Amino acid sequence: MTLHVDTPAPPRPGPRRSAGHRGPGRSRGFARFDLRATPYFLVSPYFLLFAIFGIFPLGYTLWVSLHEWELAGDKTLVGFDNYTELITDGAFWNAVVNTLGMFAMSTIPQLALALLLANALNKRIRGRLFFRLGVLLPLITSVVAVAVVFTQLYGRDYGMINWFLSLFDVDPINWQNQKWSSWIAISTMIDWRWTGYNAIILLAAMQTIPKDLYEAAAIDGATARRQFWQITVPMLRPTIIFTVFISTIGGLTLFTEPVMFDGNPTMAGGTTGQYQTVAMFIVKEAFRDFDFGYAAAAAWLLFVLILIGTLINYSFTRRIGGSK
Amino acid sequence: MLNNTRHGKLAAVAVMAATALAITSCGSSESPAPAANAGGSSAAAEPVTITVHTFGGGENFGYDKAVETWNAAHPNIQVKYQNLTDRFEDVYLPQLLQRLQAGSGAADIIAVDEGAMGLMKARPQFFTDLAEYGLESRKADFPAAKWDNGINADNKLFALGTDIGGMTMCYRTDLFEKAGLPTEREEVGKLWPDWSAFMEIGKKFQAANPGKSDPKFLDGPNTLYNVILSQEAPKNGNVAYFDKSNQLVLETNPAIKTSFDLVKSFSEAGLTAKLASFTPPWNAAIKKGAFATMGCPAWMLGVVSGAAGDENKGKWDVAAVPGGAGNWGGSYLAVPKQSKHPKEAAEVLNYLTGKEGHVMAFQEAAAFPSSIPAQQDPAVSELKNPFFNDAPTGQIFGASVKDLLPTFLGEKHAQVKTSVEKVLEGMDQGSIPYDQAWTRFVEAGVKAAG
């Protein structure tokens, strides 16, 4: 599909030149074809891979979602039944609320912290390289390891956080048992892992801001704080938009941390689904209840959700440091 | 960039060649494999490897010794045994279904828990007919109900029984002693002829352990619930969540409601450590002695000894269960159709479910044999379990399976079971109020069955 030979060729004198070189006939036709097709051929691996791993699964998921499709069982075409059922399914909306809640709870502090961290790392401090590498360290640890360690910390009976609280005579908290406590626990896992990543991206962008802007501002008597808000943040706008995009997609497909936090892989996200995310809901429907069609429909709704979320965030962040 | 056409053509040719190479190499890496396998099965002299996949915590199926013995005696049929996970419903089963559907990846012999037999029976297209390899002759070895459960929707024999789940109560002698209760297993069994007596002992135990971090009487709601359900179901037509025509009877089956109510009363009395079974905190609690008793089908002994570790050897013991006989669990072995060596696989399956295999599995993991010759073997009936304070487990479980009638489990039993047990956990841990728990329980079951 990406190898359309008869798409408009670049306005080059190719045919005429090669005609002159090679003379008329078949080889002229081949040279012409060659010249037009080769660029497409050279870029085709990406598009082929994208078609195989991007477009095809998307289309196939849509096809599956229109069926009552049991894992290793029967399949019957049911049209949009799965979608209508899903829209009235309280468990699905519970998962949506959880996902959005944990997204807001983790992403907002995470990006704010990353921005401050990047600003600090951009200063002239001793051992800059050490600190810069340091903030990236959490990222290179496996997400499963992070989740396992944090889950141990938040353990009800033998967890370190409850032990610490017990020093102040606070009753042990069953972190998994309530929405607020489980969301806090999961958000800290996400923040611990991703804050440094975002900070490094923002730092890289900060370093491209011309120094003379700051010098001029300093001469005009602008404080460091004012310089940060009036120069750094507006100049970082495209990068902030990028980090918000990435965080939105990551946050809305949140999966590993809550799964590990649950302890048993039923994908239920707690006893009443306190922290079941949409991604967990999909896996539960497909691989625990063996209802492939329903899971596929939920996957499509998640896709739409991410599109909406990204658009909202885009319209929000494009106002950052807008022209005055 | 493409001013030099010759260059461009060279590049194009190179890319094409590379792609062609990639495609052919992908193809060629796959094609010889089946050919080699086909050669293997036709020529009997060539050694064949039979893979066996099981599940389960602790000592799981206890096939280490049995496989070793077989491999030593059969150089031409080597068995590779692998326990995939300790979780059946939510890890092993989905993986197995995907592999069956995909047509590859499943082992030559797979283990299936009783809870998913309904699901497997409804999918005869994936399994080898064991009668083709002469295993129909084993019929006399098994209790009728265990044998019948291995017959699928096409009326073919597709699975043979491994263990069976006679019921006892495991308890910690050291914790009982500290609470001033008797520790000798005969006396302990006499403490609780029924569940209300059990509850009284529980209250007594906890009165002696009033502190926040003191051990609790029970692990959590799920184990207790399944033990009681396995006793109640036979009183109500031998059905649990589904009746024999596969209709959901969760709300109307008195067995379910009775079990639920009993569990609720234990939870309300604060006798549980609020743990969900087969989770890391549950395993840790077994190791640390955070609770004193737990309902134990035979296979659970292997789970307990595995989770508790050698340092707790002798602290546990086994007594009679309140409320009489019941069957929870017990598994089967089957040969998927995708197996390249069904004949050899059937041979190994015959061995593992035969007397010798059963006896060794019982010695290793306390999985009580379902086959009658193995049950009658002195190696089983006279066996004592050193981990459980030398309890005569052979005798105890032998007595507990005598009048045992297995419960009918519907096609979606595993899904319903997982969903309703979540509600029990939530009720026990306080995220679901007691007065809403039954409604939520029914809702969860209906949703999972739908």
Side-chain angles (χ1 to χ4, degrees):
Chain A
M1 56 168 277
T2 49
L3 275 172
H4 280 305
V5 177
D6 46 9
T7 30
R12 285 265 172 177
R16 198 152 41 87
R17 251 189 80 201
S18 54
H21 270 291
R22 304 269 176 102
R26 256 178 44 135
S27 76
R28 185 183 144 190
F30 179 75
R32 206 182 133 124
F33 166 81
D34 174 33
L35 195 64
R36 285 184 172 181
T38 306
Y40 293 100
F41 197 81
L42 290 176
V43 296
S44 66
Y46 167 76
F47 288 99
L48 281 174
L49 288 177
F50 180 69
I52 295 169
F53 296 106
I55 305 281
F56 171 74
L58 214 60
Y60 193 69
T61 307
L62 186 64
W63 171 243
V64 173
S65 76
L66 302 177
H67 290 75
E68 190 79 53
W69 189 309
E70 208 183 348
L71 183 55
D74 304 328
K75 42 198 93 137
T76 40
L77 192 70
V78 293
F80 286 93
D81 280 9
N82 282 325
Y83 289 92
T84 48
E85 199 184 322
L86 202 55
I87 281 169
T88 55
D89 186 346
F92 175 71
W93 290 111
N94 171 57
V96 171
V97 168
N98 290 343
T99 311
L100 293 176
M102 281 186 268
F103 164 67
M105 211 169 188
S106 62
T107 307
I108 295 167
Q110 173 191 325
L111 289 179
L113 202 66
L115 194 58
L116 296 177
L117 205 61
N119 195 41
L121 288 173
N122 200 24
K123 300 252 161 63
R124 289 181 187 284
I125 47 170
R126 260 175 215 284
R128 257 199 317 197
L129 187 68
F130 172 78
F131 287 112
R132 285 178 184 178
L133 287 177
V135 296
L136 263 183
L137 262 183
L139 191 73
I140 58 168
T141 44
S142 135
V143 59
V144 173
V146 173
V148 166
V149 170
F150 272 76
T151 305
Q152 301 266 343
L153 292 179
Y154 283 108
R156 183 194 66 184
D157 295 330
Y158 312 110
M160 210 160 109
I161 293 175
N162 276 344
W163 166 81
F164 181 74
L165 290 175
S166 74
L167 299 180
F168 305 96
D169 251 0
V170 179
D171 277 341
I173 296 170
N174 187 357
W175 291 94
Q176 270 96 343
N177 207 27
Q178 301 292 333
K179 265 199 175 22
W180 66 270
S181 56
S182 57
W183 289 12
I184 288 176
I186 291 165
S187 298
T188 52
M189 294 181 210
I190 302 167
D191 288 345
W192 191 78
R193 197 168 135 81
W194 290 104
T195 306
Y197 169 80
N198 286 315
I200 289 292
I201 291 175
L202 292 168
L203 175 64
M206 271 180 197
Q207 294 188 334
T208 65
I209 301 174
K211 291 279 179 287
D212 39 354
L213 282 177
Y214 293 102
E215 282 163 17
I219 291 168
D220 286 347
T223 59
R225 176 186 295 251
R226 200 176 156 97
Q227 287 178 24
F228 176 72
W229 286 111
Q230 306 268 276
I231 300 173
T232 312
V233 173
M235 294 293 278
L236 284 182
R237 212 180 60 160
T239 316
I240 292 177
I241 290 176
F242 171 76
T243 54
V244 167
F245 270 28
I246 295 291
S247 306
T248 307
I249 294 167
L252 294 182
T253 53
L254 181 63
F255 181 70
T256 314
E257 288 90 347
V259 169
M260 299 300 296
F261 189 57
D262 197 6
N264 51 6
T266 55
M267 299 295 153
T271 48
T272 56
Q274 298 94 324
Y275 49 93
Q276 187 189 45
T277 62
V278 181
M280 288 168 82
F281 178 86
I282 293 169
V283 176
K284 179 174 190 296
E285 289 300 330
F287 299 111
R288 298 298 175 264
D289 298 340
F290 311 128
D291 200 346
F292 254 34
Y294 201 58
W300 255 90
L301 285 191
L302 176 63
F303 178 65
V304 173
L305 196 73
I306 291 174
L307 282 185
I308 296 173
T310 317
L311 280 176
I312 292 174
N313 278 330
Y314 177 67
S315 65
F316 187 68
T317 41
R318 66 192 286 216
R319 287 163 215 264
I320 289 176
S323 52
K324 294 237 160 84
Chain B
M1 184 196 152
L2 281 180
N3 279 348
N4 185 338
T5 40
R6 175 175 288 271
H7 229 127
K9 202 158 87 186
L10 261 177
V13 168
V15 169
M16 251 188 278
T19 317
L21 206 71
I23 291 165
T24 47
S25 66
C26 275
S28 63
S29 73
E30 267 175 31
S31 50
N37 280 338
S41 61
S42 59
E46 260 183 67
V48 162
T49 303
I50 298 297
T51 49
V52 181
H53 284 173
T54 63
F55 56 88
E59 312 272 0
N60 54 72
F61 274 60
Y63 283 164
D64 287 339
K65 176 87 186 301
V67 165
E68 211 177 286
T69 313
W70 169 276
N71 282 346
H74 300 80
N76 281 339
I77 307 176
Q78 288 292 298
V79 175
K80 226 177 105 197
Y81 166 49
Q82 204 184 353
N83 190 61
L84 295 185
T85 166
D86 56 351
R87 299 191 64 89
F88 179 76
E89 277 105 355
D90 38 24
V91 178
Y92 183 91
L93 181 59
Q95 203 175 64
L96 174 61
L97 283 177
Q98 286 170 67
R99 287 170 171 175
L100 291 177
Q101 162 113 65
S104 77
D108 295 302
I109 298 176
I110 53 148
V112 180
D113 181 80
E114 165 196 88
M117 283 302 277
L119 200 75
M120 295 303 162
K121 280 197 264 191
R123 289 160 171 72
Q125 70 271 29
F126 293 124
F127 292 101
T128 302
D129 177 10
L130 295 177
E132 274 178 35
Y133 302 100
L135 297 195
E136 197 73 58
S137 63
R138 298 284 312 280
K139 190 167 181 176
D141 290 354
F142 291 91
K146 189 83 183 173
W147 176 264
D148 290 345
N149 212 18
I151 312 278
N152 63 22
D154 283 0
N155 257 323
K156 300 266 164 60
L157 175 72
F158 83 108
L160 284 187
T162 57
D163 60 325
I164 196 166
M167 204 66 71
T168 57
M169 185 62 76
C170 295
Y171 68 100
R172 290 270 301 220
T173 50
D174 56 335
L175 298 181
F176 266 50
E177 193 171 357
K178 231 188 279 172
L181 293 167
T183 57
E184 205 276 317
R185 67 180 74 88
E186 290 287 324
E187 283 175 62
V188 170
K190 280 184 191 129
L191 288 177
W192 47 57
D194 54 29
W195 290 106
S196 65
F198 187 71
M199 165 94 79
E200 289 315 308
I201 299 297
K203 285 178 178 160
K204 217 164 139 186
F205 177 87
Q206 256 166 244
N209 292 286
K212 237 185 274 176
S213 53
D214 279 343
K216 295 280 183 268
F217 188 56
L218 282 160
D219 59 336
N222 297 348
T223 325
L224 183 67
Y225 169 75
N226 282 299
V227 169
I228 299 175
L229 181 57
S230 75
Q231 297 171 335
E232 289 298 316
K235 298 177 196 163
N236 294 282
N238 267 312
V239 295
Y241 304 116
F242 293 91
D243 68 12
K244 283 174 184 163
S245 54
N246 249 322
Q247 293 300 305
L248 187 74
V249 290
L250 170 84
E251 204 176 348
T252 50
N253 185 357
I256 308 278
K257 182 76 165 107
T258 312
S259 314
F260 173 89
D261 285 341
L262 258 172
V263 170
K264 188 175 142 197
S265 65
F266 276 94
S267 174
E268 278 176 317
L271 298 182
T272 68
K274 302 186 191 302
L275 293 161
S277 347
F278 311 110
T279 57
W282 185 76
N283 284 329
I286 293 177
K287 207 179 181 91
K288 299 193 180 191
F291 56 84
T293 65
M294 183 164 81
C296 268
W299 49 265
M300 190 71 98
L301 301 188
V303 177
V304 171
S305 56
D310 276 345
E311 70 264 34
N312 286 311
K313 194 174 171 179
K315 287 184 188 164
W316 285 90
D317 208 326
V318 184
V321 71
N327 178 57
W328 171 15
S331 300
Y332 293 81
L333 295 183
V335 178
K337 216 162 223 161
Q338 55 181 266
S339 167
K340 302 266 177 3
H341 313 287
K343 185 175 160 286
E344 289 85 354
E347 262 178 69
V348 176
L349 187 149
N350 188 35
Y351 162 77
L352 288 174
T353 57
K355 187 167 141 183
E356 210 183 340
H358 272 170
V359 169
M360 281 191 257
F362 182 64
Q363 287 165 337
E364 196 171 309
F368 194 75
S370 60
S371 74
I372 295 157
Q375 286 178 10
Q376 288 164 346
D377 191 287
V380 170
S381 59
E382 283 163 23
L383 190 85
K384 291 185 158 76
N385 191 321
F387 186 90
F388 287 85
N389 208 13
D390 283 325
T393 43
Q395 196 190 325
I396 295 173
F397 286 113
S400 80
V401 298
K402 271 221 173 76
D403 318 302
L404 197 132
L405 285 167
T407 306
F408 173 83
L409 306 172
E411 192 179 329
K412 290 199 165 178
H413 175 85
Q415 288 105 303
V416 173
K417 176 176 184 284
T418 326
S419 297
V420 297
E421 284 180 6
K422 273 276 162 220
V423 179
L424 292 178
E425 285 166 27
M427 171 184 86
D428 193 40
Q429 293 171 15
S431 62
I432 297 172
Y434 286 111
D435 56 351
Q436 291 176 21
W438 173 249
T439 324
R440 298 278 284 269
F441 184 91
V442 173
E443 273 172 16
V446 170
K447 187 148 190 292

